[in-house]
Amino acid sequence: MSGFWKRLFAGEAPPPKERARFGVVLPWPEECAPQEPVPALSSADIQDWFYRLVLGMPSSETDQLRLQEQVMLRRLDELCGGDRFDISTLPRLPEVLPQLLRLLKSEHSDGTKVARLIGRDPVLVGEVMRVSRSAHYRTARTISSLQHAVVLLGHDGLRQMVTQHVMKPILQASAGMLGHAAGQRLWDHAERCAHASTYLARGQGDPFEAYLAGIVCNAGVGAMIRVLDQEAPPTLGVFSRSFLIGYTHLANHLTLRAAKHWELPPNVIVALRERLDVRAKAPVTELGNALLAADHLAMVQMLADNHVIDRATPPASVRADRLPEVLVDRAQQELRRVFRA
């Protein structure tokens, strides 16, 4: 496959000014910040550029599928469409995780029950103890037991810690030459998407479900990268915009199947299904709308942080979510405040 990726990265003519190339990070001195208002970009451009950033691929002026791309999409559909992908090949979640998430959501849970369940997984035990002893939770009293650590972290801290501990390795497990860079960028997006989703869904439901939906929303992309690494011929070249749309649709389908396989909460699964079906109809649930807007905002910030677009680029004015513009603008400011480049 090395020849395939070499062809992707080699010999591309410089694109027009508005289509930036990826991979070159330049200094961004404050005195160079633009003074004029920066126009919004379309959701389609943001998505196209984001997935090229993840893949480490230059931009393309080609919209239509080439013959080889049509063949490749059919092959990907044969492998990953419907129920054909062997979902058990995805990284496994700890067996106790679905039970733990349900327990943490219950009003009748207590530190003893939670500690007993976490104690069944040595990896989770180690992570809980490590986080509880970090500077963020540092106390005058030494953390000497798992139950003490569980009480110190609290339900919200435990849910976020467990989710991050589980999902980060999954998103970073993309195989092949693109593995490290793609996995890290997927994780960076997941953190931002989870934070924005939680912000946008405030007062509309369970905050942790909003966080969880944002964390997992691109889980299928890593799996699709592994399939591409194994199946794409050396002559495929730089992907057209239409190919990337088809690719991401299949990836979103895999994400939904993985969420069901991992027994994630029903509201999360519904939101992921609405994201998958967004080309046919807009989301109707609060979480579905929050996830869609958060995904877009996280992509915008990832592109800005990597100097693909201007740092002051606002959200797209035409989006599929039905959230008020003022709320989406505030969520973008929140992301800029929390995740500084």
Side-chain angles (χ1 to χ4, degrees):
M1 290 301 299
S2 61
F4 167 60
W5 296 116
K6 287 179 180 178
R7 286 174 179 268
L8 291 185
F9 302 141
E12 187 77 2
K17 186 176 181 180
E18 66 271 13
R19 291 192 178 274
R21 294 292 295 268
F22 304 121
V24 178
V25 178
L26 300 175
W28 197 281
E30 291 299 324
E31 60 269 23
C32 295
Q35 301 301 314
E36 296 296 325
V38 177
L41 301 170
S42 71
S43 293
D45 277 345
I46 291 296
Q47 179 170 303
D48 181 77
W49 294 352
F50 170 73
Y51 286 111
R52 291 182 192 280
L53 174 66
V54 170
L55 293 167
M57 183 176 292
S59 58
S60 172
E61 297 300 323
T62 304
D63 287 327
Q64 298 300 316
L65 282 172
R66 293 176 283 113
L67 177 60
Q68 283 187 307
E69 291 180 327
Q70 295 175 23
V71 173
M72 189 69 231
L73 275 182
R74 285 196 294 269
R75 176 59 177 162
L76 291 176
D77 185 63
E78 290 172 359
L79 295 171
C80 305
D83 295 328
R84 292 181 285 277
F85 183 82
D86 183 2
I87 208 71
S88 66
T89 62
L90 292 176
R92 291 178 57 84
L93 296 188
E95 292 183 3
V96 303
L97 185 63
Q99 303 170 58
L100 180 59
L101 293 179
R102 286 193 292 268
L103 183 59
L104 290 173
K105 190 176 180 179
S106 170
E107 297 178 356
H108 305 292
S109 64
D110 57 45
T112 302
K113 292 179 181 178
V114 173
R116 186 181 302 122
L117 186 56
I118 291 175
R120 290 165 48 187
D121 189 306
V123 176
L124 287 182
V125 170
E127 188 67 8
V128 168
M129 297 304 293
R130 182 190 68 80
V131 173
S132 67
R133 290 168 176 166
S134 66
H136 182 71
Y137 290 99
R138 186 167 295 162
T139 62
R141 181 182 171 191
T142 302
I143 306 299
S144 57
S145 68
L146 178 59
Q147 186 168 345
H148 184 187
V150 165
V151 172
L152 179 65
L153 267 61
H155 281 195
D156 289 342
L158 274 173
R159 287 187 293 192
Q160 292 200 15
M161 181 281 300
V162 169
T163 305
Q164 290 185 12
H165 169 74
V166 169
M167 289 309 304
K168 187 173 184 178
I170 289 176
L171 291 175
Q172 292 186 332
S174 307
M177 292 180 64
L178 294 180
H180 177 73
Q184 184 59 50
R185 284 167 177 162
L186 288 173
W187 174 246
D188 290 343
H189 171 275
E191 287 190 300
R192 288 155 176 77
C193 187
H195 189 84
S197 180
T198 305
Y199 183 92
L200 291 165
R202 284 189 307 182
Q204 302 296 327
D206 186 342
F208 181 66
E209 290 184 349
Y211 179 88
L212 187 58
I215 281 286
V216 305
C217 74
N218 269 327
V221 175
M224 289 293 294
I225 290 175
R226 292 192 291 274
V227 174
L228 274 176
D229 191 59
Q230 298 165 5
E231 299 290 333
T235 55
L236 190 57
V238 176
F239 300 161
S240 68
R241 291 168 68 92
S242 294
F243 181 87
L244 269 185
I245 289 172
Y247 164 85
T248 54
H249 183 74
L250 285 169
N252 290 341
H253 174 75
L254 279 187
T255 298
L256 178 61
R257 288 194 61 210
K260 294 177 180 178
H261 178 68
W262 293 331
E263 300 179 48
L264 298 188
N267 288 340
V268 174
I269 291 174
V270 170
L272 293 172
R273 180 177 293 282
E274 289 183 327
R275 180 172 177 261
L276 173 65
D277 296 337
V278 70
R279 287 189 293 177
K281 57 184 178 180
V284 296
T285 66
E286 289 87 353
L287 182 53
N289 280 288
L291 175 61
L292 203 61
D295 184 24
H296 175 76
L297 292 177
M299 289 181 182
V300 170
Q301 186 170 29
M302 285 292 296
L303 293 173
D305 288 349
N306 287 275
H307 306 316
V308 177
I309 62 177
D310 194 284
R311 196 179 294 274
T313 301
S317 56
V318 178
R319 304 182 314 276
D321 66 82
R322 298 175 177 179
L323 299 182
E325 293 294 332
V326 64
L327 177 60
V328 176
D329 289 340
R330 288 173 182 170
Q332 184 177 50
Q333 294 303 318
E334 170 69 5
L335 281 185
R336 289 170 177 169
R337 181 186 69 82
V338 175
F339 298 93
R340 297 180 183 275

